[in-house]
Amino acid sequence: MRMRLSEALSRRLFVGELMLLALPSAAVLFAYGIFFAAGMPVVAVMAIAISAGRGLPGSWSEVLNGLQLAGLFAGFGAVAGLGVFALWRFVRIAHSFVRNGRASLLKLRGMFLSGALCAILPGVAWGYYVFLGASARRDPLLLPIVMSGLPLLIPVLHLALELWSVPEQARAVHGDAPDCAPGN
């Protein structure tokens, strides 16, 4: 026997999860993500400019060190950009579910999967960074949990369960509809 929430109750519960759990974490992660995604390439260019501003380098190792540092900063920016992209995908799917219900989720599975795949690397890197820094500063437990994005997992899991629990009758009506609408 399979227990299933009514769609109205599920949507209300999801909105509550968004307000209590996802909003604080998403605000922190989005702000830091934008900061790192935009700031790290700038820092990478500055590292190259400082390396080149010294005049002719004394050795190739100095040039390679500057390029390595620039590549590291650009990589941090790319990972942060992936995180911002994943958050944006989650917001779009959540908005669609809250506004249109389960019927709108059939076409959003591909979008959900791409967002989840993009969130893995930034989630691991950011979680490691936050908890490593929190243990060094002896922060209270709640702050690192909120900053790490762990509370986001509950609404994301709720959304995933809604995405993959659409009744077979609805799938048969839509046929072999594409997972993601063009342009998403």
Side-chain angles (χ1 to χ4, degrees), residues 88-108:
W88 179 246
R89 288 280 173 136
F90 172 70
V91 167
R92 288 182 61 193
I93 296 168
H95 178 263
S96 179
F97 175 60
V98 169
R99 187 167 188 173
N100 302 322
R102 290 179 180 142
S104 66
L105 294 180
L106 277 176
K107 296 177 183 160
L108 300 176

Side-chain angles (χ1 to χ4, degrees), residues 127-170:
Y128 177 75
Y129 166 76
V130 166
F131 282 106
L132 183 70
S135 65
R137 291 187 310 265
R138 301 189 199 295
D139 283 340
L141 185 62
L142 186 60
L143 181 65
I145 288 175
V146 169
M147 285 186 65
S148 70
L150 284 176
L152 275 172
L153 292 179
I154 293 172
V156 168
L157 180 61
H158 184 144
L159 202 56
L161 290 173
E162 289 291 339
L163 278 165
W164 274 275
S165 70
V166 176
E168 292 299 323
Q169 298 88 3

Side-chain angles (χ1 to χ4, degrees), residues 39-53:
M40 288 300 156
V42 171
V43 172
V45 169
M46 288 174 48
I48 291 173
I50 289 171
S51 177

Side-chain angles (χ1 to χ4, degrees), residues 19 26 29-30 62 71 74 79 102-103 114 129 149 152 160 174 184:
M19 297 302 283
L29 292 175
F30 196 72
E62 289 180 17
V79 169
R102 290 179 180 142
S114 68
Y129 166 76
L152 275 172
H174 288 13
N184 289 332

Side-chain angles (χ1 to χ4, degrees), residues 112-131:
F112 181 84
L113 287 174
S114 68
L117 288 174
C118 287
I120 291 172
L121 183 60
V124 169
W126 181 252
Y128 177 75
Y129 166 76
V130 166
F131 282 106

Side-chain angles (χ1 to χ4, degrees), residues 44 47-49 51 60-74:
I48 291 173
S51 177
W60 282 104
S61 66
E62 289 180 17
V63 172
L64 292 177
N65 285 339
L67 290 175
Q68 182 181 13
L69 187 62
L72 183 67
F73 288 135

